[in-house]
Amino acid sequence: MSLRIATFNVENLMNRFDYSGYRNQLQQDRTLALFEIANEAEYRALEQARTIAHADDTRQLTALAIAATRADILCLQEVDNMEALKAFEYGYLFKMVGQGYRQKYTTSGNDSRGIDVAVMLRSETAHGQPIEFVRMTSHAHLTYADLGLHTPELAALGEEPHERIFRRDCLEIDVTVAGRPLTIYSVHFKSMGSPRNGMDGRQATMPIRHAEALAVRHIIEERFGKEHAGSERWMICGDLNDYRERVVIGGDTFGDFTFEPTEETASSVHTLVAGGFCENIVERRPTLDRWTLYHTRGPQERHLCQLDYILLSPSLAARNATAVPDIVRGGQPWRTPFPPGQDVERYPRTGWDRPKASDHCPVVVTLDIA
C-alpha cells in the first residue's frame, strides 16, 4: 500500500496586492525602484500591473513543479487563504496540468503577512486506494507559557511568555489511506531574517525555531504518549527555515564553482531528530544532493542548504528503510549553481532569478503505510 506525499513552499501564493513597498523601500520590487513615482495612488496602480504581469508565468512554473511530484498528498507553505488556494488549484493545477486536488485544508495562522500552511489531498492514490480526511487540528493558539517553553534567550528577543509559539501554525491533519491511519504535521517555522544584536539572522532567531521544534515534539508526545509515539504512523512536513549542514559555494559564473559541505553545530532541526524522535529521510541522499534552496547575499555568502523536510516517525521510517525522497529542481531559476552531475532541464520560460517555481524545491517520497 503506497502513498506519495510532498512538501513545497510555493512562496507568496496570494490573492491580494502588497503595497508595503511604498513606505518601506526594503520591500519595494526592484522594477518599481527604477521609476519616479509621484504618489501612493500611482504606486498602487503600478504595483497591481507589475504583480499581474509576473504572476501567470510564476504560477505556471509552480504548477509544473507540483505536477512533477505526482503527490497524492501535498503540504504547502505560504498560502494566503483558501480562496487563493482554490483559484490556483483550479486555474493552474487542474486546467493546465490535468489533475487537481479536490480536498483542501488550511486555517488562519499567526503570520503577520497572512501566509499560512495548507494541505491538499487527492480522493485516492495513484493505485486507487481511497484517501479519507478524518480531522484537522490547529495549534496556532499555543503560547510559550502553555508549554513551559519561555527562556531567557526568548526574552532577549522581546518574546513574552503569553505570546504564541508558532509563527504560522502546526496544522495536524489526520487521514486514512485504504483504512490505515496517518497523521501529518504541516509546519512552517520562523524565518531567519536579517542580522541583529551582533549575530547573523539565523543565530539571532534560533531560540524561536528551537521553541517551535520543542512544541511540535510536545504535541506529538501528548497525542500518542511519550513512550508510544515512536511506534505510531506520523510525519512532520514543511519548511523548517533551518539546516543541519550546508554546501558553501566558491568561485563564480565565469570560472569553476566549488562546493564544500560543512556541518552545523547548532540547529533547531537537531531538536526534532535528537534521541531518534524522528528521521530526516532526505539525509538518505548523498551529502551534496540534499539541498532544497540556494541562499545568497552576494559573493561573500552563498550556499545550498536543506530547508524543506519530510521527517518520519521511527516506526514509519523503519517500515520505509529503503525509501529515498526525490527533490524536484526543474523550477529553480538559472542563477542557482548546481553541483556537478545535478543539472536538470529547467521548465520553459524560467528566468535568471524570475520567473521561477519558487526559491524552494518540492520534496516528495513514496511510502508504504500498510
Side-chain angles (χ1 to χ4, degrees):
M1 180 187 304
S2 64
L3 173 76
R4 197 156 170 87
I5 186 164
T7 183
F8 188 23
N9 183 329
V10 294
E11 287 191 330
N12 299 320
L13 181 58
M14 293 185 171
N15 68 347
R16 57 193 161 88
F17 298 104
D18 181 2
Y19 303 117
S20 59
Y22 181 73
R23 304 187 186 284
N24 184 347
Q25 288 189 337
L26 294 176
Q27 297 181 32
Q28 185 178 104
D29 184 82
R30 69 187 187 208
T31 308
L32 296 189
L34 294 172
F35 299 94
E36 183 177 347
I37 301 173
N39 52 54
E40 186 167 358
E42 184 178 337
Y43 178 86
R44 284 173 174 259
L46 290 169
E47 179 59 44
Q48 289 179 18
R50 183 200 67 80
T51 302
I52 292 169
H54 286 301
D56 186 53
D57 279 348
T58 296
R59 292 313 165 196
Q60 286 193 52
L61 298 174
T62 303
L64 286 173
I66 290 174
T69 69
R70 295 176 289 112
D72 304 310
I73 297 178
L74 184 63
C75 298
L76 299 177
Q77 300 86 52
E78 297 201 11
V79 173
D80 198 356
N81 50 43
M82 184 60 75
E83 288 68 31
L85 187 59
K86 286 180 177 178
F88 170 70
E89 188 272 338
Y90 179 70
Y92 289 86
L93 281 178
F94 180 72
K95 279 196 169 180
M96 193 184 89
V97 179
Q99 280 189 309
Y101 295 80
R102 295 198 171 208
Q103 304 180 71
K104 307 173 188 66
Y105 303 95
T106 187
T107 60
S108 181
N110 300 322
D111 189 278
S112 59
R113 294 175 57 215
I115 50 175
D116 300 312
V117 297
V119 177
M120 298 200 299
L121 317 173
R122 296 201 190 280
S123 298
E124 59 183 30
T125 70
H127 301 289
Q129 297 153 338
I131 302 172
E132 296 182 354
F133 171 81
V134 177
R135 70 172 183 174
M136 175 178 74
T137 306
S138 169
H139 296 282
H141 63 281
L142 289 174
T143 68
Y144 298 115
D146 288 337
L147 302 187
L149 294 179
H150 196 256
T151 64
E153 291 79 13
L154 288 167
L157 292 174
E159 297 289 308
E160 300 290 343
H162 67 271
E163 292 187 283
R164 295 181 176 186
I165 299 170
F166 294 111
R167 282 308 182 267
R168 284 91 185 183
D169 199 350
C170 174
L171 193 61
E172 183 176 354
I173 301 285
D174 284 289
V175 301
T176 61
V177 182
R180 297 282 185 170
L182 176 67
T183 303
I184 303 161
Y185 295 91
S186 182
V187 299
H188 186 188
F189 284 3
K190 165 69 177 171
S191 60
M192 298 184 200
S194 303
R196 67 184 76 174
N197 301 330
M199 296 183 287
D200 64 32
R202 177 172 176 265
Q203 291 175 305
T205 53
M206 186 77 73
I208 298 175
R209 287 189 300 279
H210 177 63
E212 289 177 307
L214 286 174
V216 173
R217 287 188 67 141
H218 174 90
I219 290 166
I220 293 171
E221 289 174 347
E222 280 289 300
R223 165 75 186 274
F224 298 107
K226 191 169 185 178
E227 301 300 322
H228 305 289
S231 62
E232 300 292 338
R233 293 187 187 89
W234 54 263
M235 58 200 308
I236 304 165
C237 298
D239 177 0
L240 301 186
N241 265 315
D242 210 344
Y243 45 83
R244 282 156 52 91
E245 59 194 6
R246 59 193 173 116
V247 179
V248 178
I249 300 171
D252 57 43
T253 307
F254 305 102
D256 292 329
F257 284 113
T258 61
F259 300 89
E260 184 65 33
T262 63
E263 293 187 1
E264 299 295 320
T265 56
S267 171
S268 54
V269 184
H270 294 345
T271 307
L272 284 169
V273 301
F277 180 73
C278 58
E279 182 184 342
N280 173 21
I281 56 172
V282 172
E283 291 184 1
R284 297 176 180 179
R285 296 173 65 94
T287 303
L288 283 178
D289 200 16
R290 298 170 182 168
W291 61 273
T292 67
L293 180 131
Y294 169 52
H295 168 83
T296 179
R297 292 187 187 274
Q300 73 282 359
E301 187 179 343
R302 295 175 299 171
H303 62 254
L304 301 167
C305 60
Q306 182 192 357
L307 294 189
D308 306 276
Y309 292 81
I310 296 177
L311 305 174
L312 300 185
S313 72
S315 173
L316 206 52
R319 179 176 290 277
N320 294 274
T322 60
V324 178
D326 297 320
I327 300 175
V328 178
R329 300 190 178 120
Q332 279 289 292
W334 285 95
R335 69 186 178 103
T336 303
F338 283 45
Q342 292 184 24
D343 282 329
V344 296
E345 184 176 353
R346 304 306 211 281
Y347 301 144
R349 296 177 67 84
T350 300
W352 178 250
D353 69 339
R354 68 184 188 193
K356 60 193 175 188
S358 170
D359 274 339
H360 296 253
C361 301
V363 179
V364 59
V365 68
T366 300
L367 298 175
D368 175 11
I369 61 166

